[in-house]
Each structure stands twice: as C-alpha cells, then as structure tokens.
Amino acid sequence: MSFSATILNVNDDEATRYLSTRTLKMAGYKVVEAATGHEALRLAQEVRPDVVVLDVKLPDISGYEVCKRLRANPETASIAVMHTSATYVTPDKKVRGLEGGADAYLTEPFEGEELVATVRSLLRMRRAEQQLRRRTESLEEADRRKDLFLAMLAHELRNPLAAITTAVGILDRRPPVDPKEGRMISIIQRQTNHLARLVDDLLDVSRMTRGKVELRRTRLDLRGVMEQVLTVFRPLADNRKLTLESHLTAVPLWMEADTTRLEQIFTNLLDNATKYTDAGGAIQVRVEPVARNGLAGAVVRVKDTGIGIRSDILPSVFDLFAQADESLERTRGGLGIGLTLVRSLVELHGGQVEAHSDGPGQGSEFTVWLPLLPEASEQEPRDVVMPDLVKRRRHILLVEDNADARQALQDLLETWGHRVEVAADGLRGLELAVQRTPELALVDIGLPGLDGYRVAEELRAKMGRAIRLVALTGYGGTEDQTRARQAGFDLHLVKPVRPDDLDRLLSQL
C-alpha cells in the first residue's frame, strides 16, 4: 500500500531535502519536492499529497504558516502534516507546531527509519480518517433517504386515510340502519384515527432525531388542553370498559406552549394507558400546580391499573422502540415510539417526565411537569365571550387527484350544503378557479403536472386575495408548511382531516 502514497517534501536546504526524498523513495513512496512555503501551498493544491513533510524554517513564510493555510483550505485540510526542524527544537516550539495543526514533529537530525515510521503512522491515521469520513457520508445519505422514504410513505398512507375518514364522516351523520352498523362505523373511525396517529408519530420521531421540530407557542391555560384531550378519550375508555377519572385544579394554569404538541403529549400518555389496561380497569388523570426549584409549574399525572412495567425495563421506557409488551404476540400493538415523543416534546417545553411502576400487574404512573408563566404576568381576563360561529353556504373548489378522496370530500361538503367544483389536476383547477371564482379552494399538493404550490402561486397572481387557499396534503413537515405559506396558501391541513375540524374551519373563515 505504501507505493500508492504521495509525499510532499518541503525544505529549502538541498542536502537535507535530498536525503529525505531518497529515504522516502527507497521506502516505496512517490515524492514531490518544494523549496519554499508558497511553492508548497501550490503543489499541495495541485498534487493533493497524502503527507507533507514540512520544514518549519523556510525562506518566505514559516512552516507554521504553511500548515495553518493548509488547514484553512477545505481542499487540503485533510492532508497529514509532519513538521521537521533543526532550529526550532525546544518543547515550546513543538507544542506550537502541534497546536497549529501539525500531526507530528521531528527534530533534526533524525534517522531514516524514524522518518519512514512516522510517515507510515500518519498514513494509517489518514486512511482511518478517510474510512470514517466515507462511512459518515454513507450514513448521512442513508439517513436522508430514510427521511425521504418516510415522507413519501406518510403521503401515500394519508391519501387513503383521508378518503376513509371523510366517507365515515358522511355515514356518521346519517341514522344507522341497525346498532351493528353504528358499531362498525365507530370501529372504522377509531382505527382510522389510530393509523393517522401512528403515521404522525413516525414522522415526528424522524424530525426529533434531526432536531427539526419547532414549537409554535401561544398563551394558554393547561386545563383547557386537558379537557379537550379527555373529551376525545372518554368514548374510547367507555368502549374498552375502562373507568376514566379526572381531577383538574380550579386554579388557572397559564403557560406559553404549543397547543398541538401538548395535546400530542397527553394523547400519547392516555393512549398508552388504555392500551396496557384491561377491561374493568381504571385510569386517573390529575392536574395541579406544583413548583420545582423555585419555578412555578404544573404537574399532570396519568395513572392506570394496567399490566405495569418491570423494574429492568423502567429505566429505558422512554427510549426509541422500547415497549412494555415484548412478547411475540405483541397483543398491545404500537411502534414503541409514543413515549419517546412524549419525553422529547416535554423537554422542548422546558419540562420533565417520569415513569413509575411497582412492577408487573401493579399499574403505571407517568408524571409530566411543565413550567408556568410567573404570577406577575397573569393579566388574562377570566371571562372571555367568544362570538357565535356563523355557518353559511360557500362556493368551494376542490383540487384532488385521488378519485376516492375527491369523491368522498365532495359528498361531505355537499352534505353540509356547500356548492362544490372539482378538478383532478392543477391545470383544470386553475381554469375552474378563474372561470367560476370560488371563495375557497382546497388544493392537494401532490398533483400531476402542475403541483399545488404552483397552483397557489398562479391563483394569487391572477386573483389576489379574492380567494382563500387551503393546502390539503399528506406532507406535514415544518418545511412543508413554510413552503405552503410562501406559495400563497392561507392554511396548511394535513390528511386525513377530521370532518369536525373541516366543518369548524369553514365556519370560522
């Protein structure tokens, strides 16, 4: 392997340079020579040697400066550098050279064997660094492909989920033929929502590992968030024959937080509790103010009477893919990522989460502590009167290439009394928008030909603010939302959109 390496030998003393070059060539290396610092920098750029044997004292610029410039240039920064000197031989000079970026320092005179051995050592180090760099680049590329795959997978899963969610929303608004039909509709609703949460959790874990999750903080009362989450979970608990008790403090718990992410935290904890608690069990939720380390805060406790957690699993329960149910049957389901998200989101809010269990069969308790706003800043009025939401018939353009999703959403909107125009691609959507002038357009992003971003840009250019634009898409990342706003969309909705949420949106416009 030695004769594939190239050495740049830099020394203004011809005799010393000749001896070093001859020694290195006899060892099988290809050698290029330079007598000045500037010549060394030029050859390093042109030849890209594996090692530079660099004398410190040169006629134009010092070897220290040459080494500094090599390190500053990304194209030569990885070249191994060995200082040599017959003048600067004191320990402080060696320290200066090594701290300046050199990989080795030999004082003259030195034996030929010492020179060759040091070069071989530097070559081994350089090969190891190159292998590590290639492996890192390979891992980064694999990680990029993984993220792309997850984004595409989420998009492809959300299209059929959107069609199912919308279709079930229509069925749910009609009286069932018999009790069995009503139960079947409820099952489809629950399982579709469960699939949607799994897709969201999978993508959120990917974003968390890349540090790409940003909080959209607003001033809120934590009690309101908990009431919303509990309202959603009570029917699920009843269906599983579980008792769900809640004890919320009467004191307002004002905080700066991301409402959606808080709901995600407590939805995952309650989902976990219902999953691991058998019929006849109980789940208790308690919310109360608790200060920690002199900071105002609130504690949310989610306690269940479920299967409990073994002591050996408890320390790693928040780790990615860790699960309490490790049996082959895995009857409890799940991906093992919900609690990982809980910990990450709680910590992003400046809080802490802990898990406790007395062992198998003894249930579990998860405690979340979140910081509150100081009492001095509590200027929020206690009684807030919200205006009544006025529903009215709207003229809506729906641009969606998935036939099932398009038909289901059109039927749902028409059931609510809206006038709906539909288009299966972006170009047709543009034509209808200009011809029929709807007040609102629901536009899918992944359209054939002209994508949703281009559609929004064209509509803004042609119609200005005369039309409201809502992106309806399977791409839900922060970068996707930013791009949607830049294209001209007023809102960005991630599929599947629950009918109640869409109805609320149309009422609030």
Side-chain angles (χ1 to χ4, degrees), residues 297-312:
V299 161
V300 179
R301 305 180 194 276
V302 179
K303 187 175 183 179
D304 63 65
T305 59
I307 67 171
I309 306 172
R310 298 200 318 263
S311 58
D312 60 318

Side-chain angles (χ1 to χ4, degrees), residues 309-324 326 336 339-340 343 355 366:
I309 306 172
R310 298 200 318 263
S311 58
D312 60 318
I313 294 177
L314 196 59
S316 60
V317 74
F318 293 103
D319 293 345
L320 192 59
F321 305 127
Q323 289 188 325
E326 295 182 332
L339 291 180
T340 302
R343 179 176 62 182
F366 289 85

Side-chain angles (χ1 to χ4, degrees), residues 420-431:
V420 184
E421 313 275 359
V422 295
D425 58 71
L427 192 58
R428 179 58 178 160
L430 275 176
E431 293 174 356

Side-chain angles (χ1 to χ4, degrees), residues 10 37 39 58 68-69 76 89 94-95 102 116 155 157 176 187 246 300 347 470 489:
V10 187
E39 187 181 8
L58 295 172
K68 179 181 176 181
R69 296 187 188 183
T76 59
V89 296
K94 293 182 181 180
V95 169
V116 173
H155 180 263
L157 287 174
I187 289 171
S246 60
V300 179
E347 291 177 350
V470 177
F489 283 105

Side-chain angles (χ1 to χ4, degrees), residues 218-222 225 253-259 262 373:
T218 56
R219 184 181 175 87
L220 56 87
D221 185 349
L222 180 60
V225 174
L253 302 173
W254 297 108
M255 61 189 304
E256 289 281 348
D258 187 320
T259 305
L262 285 185
L373 291 171

Side-chain angles (χ1 to χ4, degrees), residues 29 35 39 56 81 101 113 122 148 158 172 233 235 269 485:
Y29 298 110
E39 187 181 8
V56 173
V81 176
E113 292 85 350
L122 293 177
L148 180 61
R158 279 173 172 153
D172 193 42
F233 263 87
L269 288 179
R485 287 195 298 272

Side-chain angles (χ1 to χ4, degrees), residues 212-397:
K212 290 195 172 182
V213 171
E214 296 180 1
L215 299 182
R216 298 182 178 181
R217 295 178 184 267
T218 56
R219 184 181 175 87
L220 56 87
D221 185 349
L222 180 60
R223 298 175 305 169
V225 174
M226 293 307 304
E227 286 171 354
Q228 176 67 25
V229 173
L230 289 166
T231 299
V232 172
F233 263 87
R234 287 193 190 282
L236 179 61
D238 292 341
N239 182 261
R240 290 180 60 88
K241 297 180 173 58
L242 299 173
T243 301
L244 178 58
E245 300 177 8
S246 60
H247 305 275
L248 275 62
T249 179
V251 179
L253 302 173
W254 297 108
M255 61 189 304
E256 289 281 348
D258 187 320
T259 305
T260 301
R261 295 304 185 180
L262 285 185
E263 290 180 355
Q264 191 174 6
I265 289 169
F266 300 114
T267 295
N268 275 335
L269 288 179
L270 279 168
D271 186 56
N272 201 63
T274 55
K275 186 191 304 178
Y276 290 104
T277 304
D278 294 325
I283 299 171
Q284 184 182 90
V285 178
R286 185 175 295 275
V287 183
E288 56 192 349
V290 175
R292 282 191 181 180
N293 300 322
L295 295 176
V299 161
V300 179
R301 305 180 194 276
V302 179
K303 187 175 183 179
D304 63 65
T305 59
I307 67 171
I309 306 172
R310 298 200 318 263
S311 58
D312 60 318
I313 294 177
L314 196 59
S316 60
V317 74
F318 293 103
D319 293 345
L320 192 59
F321 305 127
Q323 289 188 325
D325 182 5
E326 295 182 332
S327 63
L328 288 176
E329 297 87 356
R330 293 194 63 252
T331 55
R332 308 287 173 170
L335 298 174
I337 59 181
L339 291 180
T340 302
L341 282 174
V342 167
R343 179 176 62 182
S344 298
L345 292 173
V346 168
E347 291 177 350
L348 277 178
H349 281 88
Q352 299 171 340
V353 60
E354 300 168 351
H356 173 76
S357 175
D358 290 329
Q362 301 299 310
S364 307
E365 182 176 17
F366 289 85
T367 304
V368 175
W369 181 86
L370 294 166
L372 297 179
L373 291 171
E375 291 182 1
S377 66
E378 205 173 298
Q379 303 294 331
E380 204 75 21
R382 290 294 175 266
D383 298 316
V384 180
V385 180
M386 299 297 292
D388 292 333
L389 298 179
V390 179
K391 292 186 178 182
R392 66 182 181 85
R393 188 170 181 267
R394 298 186 183 279
H395 183 191
I396 300 172
L397 169 64

